[in-house]
Amino acid sequence: MASFLNKTFAVVDLETTGTQHEDNNHIIQFGCAIIKNLKVVKTYSFMINPHCDIPLAVQNLTHIHNEDVKKEKDFTYYAPKIIKILRGTIFVAHNVNFDLPFLNYELVQHGFEALTNKAIDTVELAKIAFPTLPSYKLSDLTTQLEIKHINPHKADSDAYSTAILLIRIIHKLETLPQATLNTLSSLAHGLIRETSWIFSTIADDSRKNKRPLDKQYQQVRNIILQKQTILEANQPQTSNETFPLSNKTKREMFKGKIFYRASQVKLINRLNKFIQNPHERALLVEAPNGTGKTFSYLFAYAYRLYSNRKLIVATPTKILQNQIISQEIPQLLNVTKLDLKAEVVKSSSHYLDLDGFYQSLYQNTPNKLTLVMQMRILVWLTETKTGDLDELQLTSYQAPLFTQITHPGDARVGSNFADVDFWNLARHRQEEADILITNHAYLANHYNDSIWGQNPYLVIDEAHRFVDNVVSSRNDSFQFESLWGELNHLRNLLYYADDSVFNQYGNDVQFNFILEKLNPQILELIEIINQLQRLLTAKSEKAVNKNILANGNLLLSFQAQDLFMQNNKFKTKLAEFQRKLESIRQQTNQVLFKLYSETDNSGTEKDALLSELNTQIDLLDNYISQSYQLSDLLHKENILQQEGFIVTLTNPQDPLSANLSWIMLDASNELKQIYNRFSHICFVSATLTSENNFDFSVKRLALSDLRIQKYIGRSTFDLKKHLEVLAVTDMPELTNPFYEKTLSQILENDLSKKQHVLVLMTNLDKISEIYSTILNSPSLRDFEILAQGITGSNNRIIKRFTIAQKAIILGADSFWEGIDFHECSIDLVIVAKLPFESPDQPNVKLRQKLLYQQGINVFQNDTMPRAIIRFRQGMGRLIRNEKDNGQFLILDSRIWQKDYGKDFLKTIPVNTQKICLSELQSKLDNYDKR
């Protein structure tokens, strides 16, 4: 099929002095590629004198400088040529709502008529045609789709690359099933300018050809899906294969498949010995990066899985889950030849609810973001076999559409899509699997799930992060302000809006009866909320810590006994609050039930009201659930002692702006309950020891009551050949303003030979300062500068860093230990400051206060072990395997000046070189020449 063989596309890209044409910005380069018969037949490139200076940031991005254009003709000269080139063509651009308006503005300003060409946007088209790509920036698309792109951010090269991209998109869309094309065409009217014409043209041409549905697909209603393979229920497996005790046998098995490493085999043998012993419950394994620890534990446990006994692997991140399922498991099966099945286990909200998605397609006209997402999903459904929304590689699932289309976790029976329901199919595959890979938080919240089977084995990977993830999964809050707002919105829906229940049905006796009771009850509930808020803020003098955040919020941190032990008024008032909230929820539900039973023809207005009231009832249910969670906590004194509480006032002067959060300070009881569900639990990480012993990890993981075995592995390669550690001796004092200035100068002046640089910091405010300083530095123009809290979510930063040819991350918190860059190597990790926790953080202050009251030396037994483990994790970002090489640069002079500095130095596995700032550039430049 060739839908556009008689059409001429003009693919345009402009380089300009700025993004806002009305702010006296002008075009400095016009690039255009002409497509005929779906082939690029000609390209144009004009350098244009803007008669103004090109900003430094634009010069850095485009590599077009003032001297490049000062002798060129201006736009008046090129305008007639551009008009002639574009006459009779379809105008195409990557972000057409920038290029076309900018070009038209210049044309009109110079006395020419604006273009009226049909206009197409390739950003929207690419998102829909290739729904699972991680980025839709042109330079990223050309890399991912292997399109030749010689000079990114030069208009001629960008125009040519966009032209090839358009041809690829058209070819992809032409392969889609007819029913998918029909639905895309019906939705596409809301796309930018005439982009919908692409879909309608392809759908019309496809309809004429009457293509049958390919055998790989199935159609349910108008949705086309990949055919699903339903596994038959497994019979208990038996196997003649036994664990190969001989190292010689292992060497033969590994031959030609994976490299035989003596230290890895030693770890495998130790794991096997542990699993064989029925009296051993827990094994702590510290295995350095690159030792193949994941393959080791999979290999050791695999031979025990032939009696319907499962292995559960818990990791901290989705990235690691995907790595295990896509790389490590296939490698295991290739080496062992065992017949084992593995599945990922995650919450139902990760899966698409086909019923909800289908309904969303036929509701009110969505906004642009929702529309494009629906179209992306329609194309993705022709490709996915799992329905796992993570395949879309989104950085956020906060859009309103996702509240409707994520799966709620119920077993679908009798619905339109019950037979192909992704969550049902996932659960079925999990039941039949031998190895289940999940994440720490899901395991913590679902450790009693039947999906794990009887007496399952458990491996907790990256175990140094397990406690934090269990704790964060238990932490929660009660947003009194938000509930207050929701109740006022409910009153508006019931009484005051033009289409309110009262205004539409106020004459109905039954409606009136409910509404007359409901309004005063809502007002009474709001008053009870205010009383609860006042009771919380009345205890402010007992706060162990008071913080004012950058946004002006005041944080009051409390130990449980100071806020609640003698606060019986709060418990009594909370019970009254729950009764009133339950009553309002029930009566609102009665209104909703009556609305459903009405048979009038109010149509769309009634549908909107029903939808809004349903949403309100769901929100009230959440608040009821949270209030009972808080109530349970307050009535269990033994658990309450292990909790900390934070009262947040969005206006420090107003008690009625108070909200409440609670955080678990001691997870011991929770951890023990989790461990009781599993057998032969292996805790594995590259950093479980502090000062060469496991004492801190044993206590933190609440393992003192178990029979604990311990094992420290050795690196499988010579780290000295892969890692160089440098520590500067003459940085300014940390409190000196010149410290940040010196760090900025290092980043600007000393990184020219580096590709990927991770700067580890401890303060988000300082990250913002450094980012602002270096962003437009000419020496960093080839680097993409990424900063935590500034350039997007952590997930987005990771994706950008991985994709970019050269990039710098300024990160804190999770970037020390919670982030893995498996798809790219890091050349340099810079430690700006040693990673001590800030004692001003509410959770840190509360935890340390609890430890102090228990007679524990907080610095020695908590602060230092945590900092050392985080420091070692920061180093671990650099060398992940024997293919990685890099430098670890410590700028914090305290490592030399303070007594505790030697404890950090002891953890470094190679010699640390003392250097001065004057030597730094040479050391960084010449590392690859070593």
Side-chain angles (χ1 to χ4, degrees):
M1 186 169 69
S3 305
F4 304 99
L5 291 181
N6 61 343
K7 302 294 182 185
T8 302
F9 296 92
V11 185
V12 173
D13 187 77
L14 308 176
E15 301 302 340
T16 64
T17 58
T19 57
Q20 304 299 318
H21 50 68
E22 63 270 22
D23 291 345
N24 200 32
N25 285 309
H26 299 286
I27 297 170
I28 54 176
Q29 188 182 21
F30 170 87
C32 181
I34 302 297
I35 298 175
K36 290 184 178 179
N37 297 323
L38 288 186
K39 289 189 172 129
V40 178
V41 296
K42 191 168 181 60
T43 60
Y44 300 91
S45 176
F46 305 141
M47 298 293 285
I48 300 172
N49 188 341
H51 296 299
C52 65
D53 282 339
I54 301 171
L56 184 60
V58 175
Q59 294 184 48
N60 289 343
L61 181 69
T62 64
H63 293 197
I64 299 173
H65 306 287
N66 290 315
E67 55 270 25
D68 297 327
V69 294
K70 67 182 179 183
K71 294 182 181 178
E72 300 291 341
K73 301 280 197 302
D74 62 17
F75 189 80
T76 305
Y77 174 82
Y78 284 110
K81 295 177 182 288
I82 291 170
I83 292 168
K84 184 177 179 183
I85 290 167
L86 299 178
R87 188 174 293 126
T89 65
I90 296 141
F91 189 99
V92 180
H94 202 67
N95 189 6
V96 73
N97 271 353
F98 169 77
D99 294 271
L100 183 55
F102 207 114
L103 181 56
N104 273 337
Y105 184 83
E106 287 273 50
L107 287 169
V108 171
Q109 291 297 107
H110 288 80
F112 300 92
E113 289 187 8
L115 300 169
T116 58
N117 302 49
K118 188 176 286 183
I120 307 297
D121 182 58
T122 52
V123 176
E124 285 189 341
L125 286 174
K127 287 180 177 178
I128 295 163
F130 306 111
T132 60
L133 294 181
S135 168
Y136 297 93
K137 286 178 64 173
L138 182 61
S139 56
D140 297 335
L141 282 167
T142 54
T143 300
Q144 293 151 14
L145 298 174
E146 298 181 348
I147 295 171
K148 195 172 182 181
H149 195 180
I150 300 169
N151 293 306
H153 301 296
K154 282 288 186 72
D156 50 347
S157 179
D158 282 356
Y160 177 81
S161 300
T162 305
I164 301 300
L165 173 64
L166 176 66
I167 294 167
R168 291 273 190 92
I169 289 167
I170 289 171
H171 287 325
K172 169 70 185 291
L173 294 177
E174 285 179 337
T175 67
L176 294 174
Q178 184 65 55
T180 301
L181 287 170
N182 292 345
T183 310
L184 289 172
S185 182
S186 68
L187 292 173
H189 58 83
L191 297 178
I192 291 172
R193 297 184 183 266
E194 289 77 37
T195 304
S196 63
W197 173 75
I198 294 287
F199 293 96
S200 58
T201 303
I202 293 173
D204 290 345
D205 283 3
S206 175
R207 209 171 290 116
K208 293 171 190 172
N209 290 324
K210 297 182 179 178
R211 287 181 294 143
L213 187 64
D214 195 282
K215 291 179 181 178
Q216 66 180 305
Y217 301 123
Q218 65 184 120
Q219 182 168 350
V220 183
R221 295 292 184 102
N222 334 351
I223 305 290
I224 304 297
L225 305 162
Q226 279 278 329
K227 278 186 180 169
Q228 299 289 326
T229 304
I230 309 297
L231 297 173
E232 295 297 324
N234 270 352
Q235 297 300 316
Q237 292 191 62
T238 57
S239 173
N240 294 326
E241 298 290 341
T242 57
F243 180 83
L245 293 171
S246 158
N247 288 351
K248 183 179 179 183
T249 306
K250 294 189 193 77
R251 189 184 289 276
E252 287 299 313
M253 293 172 70
F254 290 7
K255 195 171 183 179
K257 293 166 185 170
I258 65 170
F259 184 65
Y260 182 91
R261 294 174 286 192
S263 56
Q264 182 183 37
V265 172
K266 191 174 179 182
L267 172 57
I268 290 172
N269 291 338
R270 179 64 187 90
L271 285 161
N272 178 61
K273 182 181 176 185
F274 161 68
I275 301 163
Q276 273 189 316
N277 190 332
H279 303 296
E280 293 182 2
R281 284 288 319 280
L283 172 65
L284 288 168
V285 173
E286 181 169 277
N289 289 328
T291 55
K293 61 183 172 61
T294 307
F295 178 83
S296 298
Y297 65 67
L298 289 173
F299 187 95
Y301 280 93
Y303 290 89
R304 306 282 168 180
L305 305 181
Y306 281 93
S307 57
N308 265 8
R309 196 170 179 184
K310 297 187 181 188
L311 168 64
I312 315 306
V313 178
T315 75
T317 65
K318 290 187 291 187
I319 292 172
L320 283 173
Q321 282 180 263
N322 293 335
Q323 183 190 354
I324 291 172
I325 202 77
S326 64
Q327 299 174 31
E328 303 288 352
I329 296 290
Q331 187 176 66
L332 171 76
L333 301 182
N334 184 36
V335 170
T336 63
K337 304 304 179 186
L338 295 173
D339 179 22
L340 298 171
K341 300 182 187 71
E343 290 290 333
V344 168
V345 180
K346 54 180 77 172
S347 77
S348 64
S349 61
H350 289 270
Y351 292 89
L352 181 72
D353 177 10
L354 284 166
D355 289 285
F357 176 67
Y358 181 76
Q359 290 165 17
S360 79
L361 297 175
Y362 300 97
Q363 290 173 347
N364 298 334
T365 304
N367 61 43
K368 181 70 64 65
L369 290 174
T370 298
L371 178 73
V372 172
M373 183 55 64
Q374 287 173 323
M375 296 178 75
R376 286 179 71 181
I377 290 171
L378 280 166
V379 175
W380 171 63
L381 286 173
T382 67
E383 303 168 356
T384 182
K385 288 186 176 293
T386 68
D388 183 348
L389 290 162
D390 290 337
E391 292 175 9
L392 293 172
Q393 300 206 63
L394 305 176
T395 56
S396 171
Y397 293 89
Q398 301 305 312
L401 175 67
F402 288 104
T403 61
Q404 182 174 1
I405 68 170
T406 53
H407 204 291
D410 56 341
R412 292 297 162 88
V413 179
S415 73
N416 290 326
F417 295 91
D419 291 341
V420 290
D421 183 75
F422 289 123
W423 173 243
N424 287 353
L425 292 168
R427 291 292 285 185
H428 182 76
R429 288 194 298 268
Q430 291 159 13
E431 286 167 1
E432 302 308 317
D434 307 287
I435 302 172
L436 295 176
I437 299 124
T438 190
N439 60 64
H440 292 171
Y442 189 88
L443 180 74
N445 286 316
H446 301 87
Y447 60 89
N448 277 323
D449 197 326
S450 62
I451 204 73
W452 315 125
Q454 295 296 313
N455 201 25
Y457 298 114
L458 175 63
V459 173
I460 297 176
D461 205 341
E462 300 292 320
H464 66 282
R465 296 182 58 200
F466 185 58
V467 179
D468 286 338
N469 288 326
V470 171
V471 165
S472 62
S473 75
R474 293 292 190 273
N475 295 346
D476 213 331
S477 66
F478 201 101
Q479 301 297 315
F480 291 108
E481 275 191 304
S482 296
L483 176 54
W484 189 356
E486 295 299 345
L487 290 170
N488 281 317
H489 181 53
L490 177 59
R491 291 180 73 218
N492 194 48
L493 292 173
L494 294 172
Y495 302 99
Y496 304 115
D498 292 339
D499 58 349
S500 69
V501 175
F502 182 79
N503 285 337
Q504 292 190 59
Y505 304 99
N507 294 328
D508 184 291
V509 175
Q510 287 180 299
F511 269 117
N512 232 327
F513 178 74
I514 302 170
L515 292 173
E516 280 184 7
K517 288 197 304 178
L518 194 48
N519 193 39
Q521 288 197 41
I522 295 175
L523 292 172
E524 286 170 24
L525 181 60
I526 290 173
E527 177 53 33
I528 294 171
I529 291 171
N530 294 162
Q531 291 172 18
L532 287 167
Q533 291 174 301
R534 289 189 187 98
L535 286 168
L536 291 172
T537 53
K539 299 281 185 178
S540 60
E541 75 283 354
K542 294 197 173 183
V544 300
N545 198 35
K546 297 181 181 181
N547 268 11
I548 295 205
L549 303 182
N551 61 7
N553 287 1
L554 172 64
L555 270 58
L556 304 172
S557 306
F558 294 90
Q559 290 188 295
Q561 63 266 24
D562 294 331
L563 192 59
F564 293 120
M565 288 305 192
Q566 306 303 321
N567 201 347
N568 290 323
K569 281 185 182 177
F570 187 90
K571 295 178 188 176
T572 305
K573 191 58 67 176
L574 183 61
E576 186 183 345
F577 164 87
Q578 288 166 334
R579 289 193 297 271
K580 190 68 70 177
L581 185 55
E582 289 270 19
S583 174
I584 289 168
R585 191 249 185 245
Q586 289 168 6
Q587 290 174 70
T588 306
N589 205 42
Q590 287 176 25
V591 172
L592 188 66
F593 182 78
K594 269 202 63 61
L595 280 173
Y596 274 118
S597 65
E598 289 294 313
T599 55
D600 58 58
N601 297 313
S602 51
T604 306
E605 284 187 359
K606 181 181 171 183
D607 287 345
L609 185 58
L610 287 168
S611 176
E612 286 268 28
L613 284 173
N614 262 313
T615 300
Q616 289 303 303
I617 287 173
D618 287 344
L619 288 168
L620 294 181
D621 284 340
N622 286 335
Y623 283 109
I624 290 168
S625 173
Q626 283 179 319
S627 75
Y628 280 113
Q629 185 183 343
L630 176 58
S631 185
D632 285 347
L633 209 56
L634 299 185
H635 286 87
K636 295 177 181 174
E637 290 198 7
N638 59 325
I639 295 175
L640 190 59
Q641 299 279 9
Q642 299 162 9
E643 297 288 326
F645 292 86
I646 301 166
V647 176
T648 303
L649 289 98
T650 54
N651 177 358
Q653 310 306 319
D654 183 9
L656 304 188
S657 70
N659 301 293
L660 180 67
S661 306
W662 50 96
I663 54 178
M664 182 181 284
L665 303 177
D666 183 352
S668 301
N669 290 336
E670 294 289 325
L671 293 168
K672 289 171 184 177
Q673 288 179 44
I674 295 169
Y675 302 155
N676 285 338
R677 176 70 174 85
F678 299 94
S679 170
H680 287 86
I681 308 168
C682 176
F683 300 83
V684 60
S685 167
T687 54
L688 282 178
T689 61
S690 174
E691 299 185 18
N692 233 22
N693 67 67
F694 287 97
D695 294 352
F696 178 70
S697 290
V698 168
K699 187 168 184 181
R700 192 154 180 253
L701 287 161
L703 295 173
S704 303
D705 297 340
L706 297 181
R707 294 174 60 89
I708 312 161
Q709 305 301 310
K710 302 165 188 175
Y711 180 82
I712 297 178
R714 295 286 173 259
S715 179
T716 57
F717 54 93
D718 186 357
L719 264 176
K720 292 176 186 174
K721 296 179 181 177
H722 299 264
L723 172 67
E724 182 176 73
V725 178
L726 309 170
V728 175
T729 58
D730 57 346
M731 280 289 285
E733 293 288 326
L734 295 176
T735 53
N736 189 324
F738 284 102
Y739 187 88
E740 275 73 33
K741 185 176 181 181
T742 305
L743 172 57
S744 298
Q745 289 171 345
I746 290 169
L747 298 179
E748 290 181 88
N749 301 330
D750 299 338
L751 304 184
S752 60
K753 301 293 174 65
K754 303 302 179 187
Q755 304 292 320
H756 290 88
V757 178
L758 176 60
V759 184
L760 295 174
M761 303 178 68
T762 58
N763 185 303
L764 292 176
D765 292 336
K766 296 298 183 186
I767 285 176
S768 181
E769 289 177 23
I770 300 293
Y771 176 77
S772 299
T773 303
I774 70 172
L775 180 60
N776 292 319
S777 171
S779 59
L780 296 177
R781 66 187 180 190
D782 294 332
F783 284 88
E784 185 162 355
I785 313 295
L786 302 162
Q788 185 178 354
I790 300 170
T791 57
S793 68
N794 287 2
N795 282 340
R796 184 184 186 281
I797 288 171
I798 296 164
K799 286 180 183 177
R800 296 295 327 138
F801 187 76
T802 303
I803 291 167
Q805 290 187 341
K806 299 186 81 169
I808 297 169
I809 288 180
L810 306 174
D813 305 324
S814 59
F815 282 91
W816 283 86
E817 57 181 336
I819 303 295
D820 286 294
F821 306 96
H822 287 287
E823 295 177 31
C824 77
S825 296
I826 298 175
D827 307 300
L828 173 66
V829 171
I830 299 176
V831 173
K833 294 183 182 179
L834 295 176
F836 291 109
E837 293 178 305
S838 168
D840 291 330
Q841 291 178 2
N843 61 320
V844 177
K845 189 76 172 180
L846 287 165
R847 186 185 72 240
Q848 292 184 348
K849 177 89 172 176
L850 183 64
L851 293 172
Y852 177 77
Q853 289 169 343
Q854 294 169 356
I856 293 171
N857 182 317
V858 174
F859 185 78
Q860 183 178 334
N861 295 296
D862 188 69
T863 303
M864 273 300 293
R866 286 175 184 272
I868 285 173
I869 286 174
R870 178 165 278 203
F871 179 78
R872 295 179 63 203
Q873 279 291 319
M875 198 182 311
R877 302 307 93 200
L878 191 60
I879 309 297
R880 307 297 297 175
N881 56 58
E882 56 262 46
K883 296 178 183 176
D884 290 337
N885 296 281
Q887 291 170 294
F888 188 70
L889 172 62
I890 306 162
L891 298 181
D892 191 337
S893 300
R894 288 179 298 175
I895 203 161
W896 302 116
Q897 298 165 356
K898 299 291 184 181
D899 287 341
Y900 56 70
K902 62 181 181 297
D903 293 323
F904 286 97
L905 290 168
K906 282 179 193 172
T907 69
I908 299 172
V910 300
N911 290 332
T912 302
Q913 298 180 41
K914 275 188 178 183
I915 63 165
C916 300
L917 285 169
S918 58
E919 303 173 79
L920 182 56
Q921 184 175 1
S922 174
K923 285 285 186 183
L924 296 181
D925 282 352
N926 293 305
Y927 176 66
D928 290 330
K929 299 173 186 173
R930 69 196 188 288

